[in-house]
Amino acid sequence: SFKLKKVLCGACDAELGNIQDSTVMEGAWSETCGSRVAHFKCEMVVLELTDCRTKHLELKRWSILGEAIGGRTMNRLSQVTMRQIIDSLRRSSGKEMRLIECQP
């Protein structure tokens, strides 16, 4: 199986996703992301952008993030920048994608 380990919430023990072996997955996942990737099952995403340390990006669906950073191209979440998503953010109504203040 390509599923190596479940990822659980440290607070409530809910299953968040799993770590997968990308070398057996279809496509160029291992070349782009390395031999292991995380597959998240959550619906809402809160992401720290590499070039904006005072705000986080909140998204209601993964597909919105995909559209904002290049459609079907593979991107590392650790490298997503404000520059990449700013146009999509400006077009957003604020319900599906918005910036939120970082919690201290």
Side-chain angles (χ1 to χ4, degrees):
S1 174
F2 65 95
K3 293 181 181 179
L4 303 174
K5 181 180 179 181
K6 286 185 180 182
V7 178
L8 304 175
C9 175
C12 69
D13 212 32
E15 186 177 341
L16 302 176
N18 53 59
I19 304 297
Q20 299 178 349
D21 179 356
S22 65
T23 63
V24 296
M25 294 171 64
E26 187 177 317
W29 288 97
S30 62
E31 290 84 9
T32 303
C33 301
S35 63
R36 294 184 177 171
V37 294
H39 175 256
F40 298 103
K41 295 181 179 183
C42 50
E43 292 180 17
M44 182 185 288
V45 180
V46 177
L47 189 63
E48 180 180 323
L49 303 169
T50 60
D51 58 347
C52 181
R53 301 285 183 202
T54 60
K55 297 185 184 286
H56 288 150
L57 178 65
E58 181 183 73
L59 303 138
K60 298 291 182 185
R61 293 190 326 265
W62 281 106
S63 59
I64 295 168
L65 179 60
E67 292 168 13
I69 61 176
R72 295 194 138 305
T73 60
M74 286 187 263
N75 291 280
R76 292 176 185 234
L77 292 179
S78 62
Q79 296 174 348
V80 175
T81 65
M82 176 70 83
R83 223 172 311 135
Q84 284 178 287
I85 58 98
I86 193 68
D87 289 338
S88 296
L89 193 59
R90 287 183 180 139
R91 289 190 302 268
S92 173
S93 67
K95 292 179 182 178
E96 305 247 333
M97 172 192 277
R98 67 185 182 138
L99 291 175
I100 59 173
E101 294 296 324
C102 292
Q103 299 298 318

